[in-house]
Amino acid sequence: MAEEKDATSVPLSQGIREDEEGRDPEDPLKSPPTSPDSSTRRACCFVLQSWVSKKFMTGCVVLFPVAVTFFVTWWFIQFVDGFFSPLYAQLGIDIFGLGFVTSLLFVFLVGVFVSSWLGATVFWIGEWFIKRMPFVRHLYSASKQISSAISPDQNNTAFKEVAIIRHPRVGEYAFGFITSSVLLQRDDGDEELCSVFVPTNHLYIGDIFLVNSKDIIRPNLSIREGIEIIVSGGMTMPQRITPISPIERVARQGERIPLTRLV
């Protein structure tokens, strides 16, 4: 009898709490239903939180490119301004931006000087000395090839045309740049191949493919537009790309070919 009494006995404090709350905390079936006001309040909080998070992310997406552009531009101005600012500081002239304007004017004058016969000769002599240095010549050659790709002088560009080739599998295409052409001599006839540079890491690292000239798709894109597509990761890709005709190709390259090749 004593054991049965102990098993069925309930502490007085627990009984009082159960009487006050009207439910058993260990039995979820006896819990009272949630009120409609609390459900509405939670739903409103969830909608408000979702709306605030979405608008905050929208603000970040809008301000991020602006902040990056402003930071890079400000850094570039300070970097270029630092070339001639110490010279003006020694002269007692303290005007912000004067060194930047002087640097731009200096670059312009260098371009004018190099475009002349005397400047080209001086530049060739300096380049000859640089190419004789053990380590500097490799760095100079790589940087010159990259800069010549976007040179306004179309006759000296490293990239001749933008090309689309079938790579790496059938049904997949890759953007590249035609750098040169070669004639492959075989027993059954000669085959014209084009050296296509396909960038794999921006513009300075990539693969070289020798592709038949007939298998290359030449889109209506300039070299500058092709570089923008590669650097931006395809975000500046136009919605429609059409191959150029042989006549347009001749007009871009500024060369003459026989009429039989155009037919």
Side-chain angles (χ1 to χ4, degrees), residues 6-27 30:
D6 294 335
T8 57
S9 61
V10 180
L12 181 60
S13 59
Q14 181 178 353
I16 294 175
R17 286 198 304 271
E18 291 181 0
D19 294 339
E20 291 178 353
E21 298 178 1
R23 62 182 178 86
D24 187 359
E26 298 181 357
D27 191 358
K30 294 182 181 181

Side-chain angles (χ1 to χ4, degrees), residues 217-261:
I217 302 175
R218 294 173 170 86
N220 57 339
L221 298 173
S222 63
I223 301 297
R224 190 176 301 275
E225 291 173 341
I227 293 176
E228 291 178 355
I229 293 174
I230 297 298
V231 174
S232 65
M235 291 185 291
T236 60
M237 181 81 67
Q239 296 182 353
R240 180 175 297 179
I241 297 178
T242 56
I244 61 176
S245 62
I247 298 178
E248 294 177 350
R249 178 187 171 191
V250 174
R252 288 189 177 186
Q253 293 181 348
E255 62 183 14
R256 296 181 180 179
I257 60 176
L259 184 61
T260 56
R261 294 179 58 185

Side-chain angles (χ1 to χ4, degrees), residues 165 167 175-177 179 195-201 203-210:
I165 62 174
H167 174 74
F175 262 101
F177 301 95
T179 57
S195 177
V196 180
F197 173 73
V198 178
T200 56
N201 187 359
L203 287 176
Y204 48 87
I205 297 178
D207 299 326
I208 302 296
F209 297 95
L210 293 177

Side-chain angles (χ1 to χ4, degrees), residues 142-210:
S143 59
K144 183 180 179 180
Q145 291 177 0
I146 296 174
S147 62
S148 62
I150 57 176
S151 173
D153 188 5
Q154 297 297 329
N155 297 326
N156 297 328
T157 53
F159 298 155
K160 306 301 181 183
E161 293 180 84
V162 180
I164 299 178
I165 62 174
R166 291 178 174 87
H167 174 74
R169 294 182 293 270
V170 178
E172 297 182 4
Y173 299 88
F175 262 101
F177 301 95
I178 298 177
T179 57
S180 62
S181 59
V182 61
L183 192 63
L184 179 62
Q185 297 180 349
R186 301 188 302 182
D187 296 336
D188 54 352
D190 298 339
E191 182 179 3
E192 182 182 0
L193 301 178
C194 292
S195 177
V196 180
F197 173 73
V198 178
T200 56
N201 187 359
H202 292 289
L203 287 176
Y204 48 87
I205 297 178
D207 299 326
I208 302 296
F209 297 95
L210 293 177

Side-chain angles (χ1 to χ4, degrees), residues 49-141:
Q49 182 180 1
S50 177
W51 181 82
V52 171
S53 300
K54 184 178 179 180
K55 297 304 178 183
F56 181 80
M57 291 303 300
T58 302
C60 292
V61 171
V62 172
L63 293 179
F64 178 75
V66 177
V68 171
T69 303
F70 177 80
F71 175 78
V72 173
T73 304
W74 182 257
W75 174 84
F76 178 75
I77 292 176
Q78 289 184 332
F79 176 76
V80 177
D81 186 76
F83 286 104
F84 290 94
S85 292
L87 178 62
Y88 287 114
Q90 292 181 359
L91 298 176
I93 302 175
D94 188 10
I95 301 176
F96 179 76
L98 185 59
F100 176 77
V101 176
T102 306
S103 300
L104 295 182
L105 183 61
F106 175 76
V107 173
F108 173 76
L109 294 177
V110 168
V112 174
F113 177 72
V114 174
S115 300
S116 62
W117 177 84
L118 179 61
T121 304
V122 174
F123 179 76
W124 179 84
I125 296 174
E127 190 177 41
W128 184 83
F129 280 106
I130 293 177
K131 289 184 178 180
R132 295 300 183 273
M133 299 180 181
F135 175 75
V136 179
R137 61 182 180 182
H138 300 289
L139 181 62
Y140 176 78
S141 300

